[in-house]
Amino acid sequence: MKIAIACDHAAVDLKEAIKAYLDSRLIEYIDFGTNGTESVDYPHYAEKVAKAVLAGDCERGILICGTGIGMSISANKFAGIRAVACSEPYSAILSRRHNNSNVLCFGARVVGAGLATLITEGWINAAYEGGRHQRRLDIITRIETQQLPHEQ
């Protein structure tokens, strides 16, 4: 497994903690930045990770900002990305099992390094269950790819 990882200026330290966890598990990753605390625009980093996942360069992605919300909104603008903002492991695990999430987001101002590691570990170890959940993912895919006329 290879993970695409990125953060904004609010989350550099937490990104480094997650990279240390990935290193300890011998999980490959590509770090798309940022690497400093100077203010940056998080959508650019969400775009890099989303494109790496969609291109198949990485199997999944991890995005970290202040809350995880901005990153998840940005990543979900890409058809085929199922980004989730999680603040605890249970939701992260179920997002994999039921929704086949492929991008995990969390906030450096919301969770500390220990909890972020537990969230990441649960998400990485969880497997998509398929079955009844696939029907729902198929509906989501149809919605995100169909062109709907604007209602007036």
Side-chain angles (χ1 to χ4, degrees):
M1 175 185 313
K2 187 185 287 187
I3 303 285
I5 188 167
C7 68
D8 72 359
H9 55 278
V12 173
D13 290 342
L14 187 53
K15 181 184 72 167
E16 292 304 314
I18 296 303
K19 285 169 48 179
Y21 166 74
L22 296 173
D23 287 337
S24 76
R25 293 276 316 272
L26 303 176
I27 297 171
E28 285 186 72
Y29 57 84
I30 300 174
D31 183 348
F32 288 95
T34 192
N35 296 307
T37 57
E38 184 177 326
S39 182
V40 296
D41 297 320
Y42 61 81
H44 295 302
Y45 296 92
E47 179 180 15
K48 291 175 184 183
V49 166
K51 286 182 174 179
V53 171
L54 292 172
D57 298 332
C58 295
E59 184 179 334
R60 298 188 213 166
I62 297 174
L63 292 166
I64 315 166
C65 61
T67 63
I69 295 168
M71 286 290 204
S72 66
I73 290 170
S74 299
N76 278 318
K77 296 301 178 187
F78 292 85
I81 293 297
R82 291 173 304 282
V84 293
C86 296
S87 299
E88 39 70 36
Y90 184 71
S91 295
I93 292 165
L94 288 186
S95 79
R96 284 286 306 142
R97 289 182 183 169
H98 294 183
N99 309 111
N100 201 17
S101 63
N102 53 10
V103 176
L104 174 65
C105 306
F106 44 81
R109 295 178 180 139
V110 179
V111 300
L115 182 54
T117 299
L118 291 174
I119 293 166
T120 301
E121 180 176 50
W123 184 73
I124 285 173
N125 291 334
Y128 177 53
E129 294 176 354
R132 71 184 190 279
H133 306 295
Q134 186 58 51
R135 181 179 76 248
R136 296 167 185 147
L137 284 186
D138 291 342
I139 294 168
I140 291 169
T141 300
R142 180 183 52 79
I143 291 169
E144 75 182 353
T145 57
Q146 92 185 126
Q147 298 292 322
L148 297 175
H150 295 280
E151 292 187 31
Q152 298 180 358

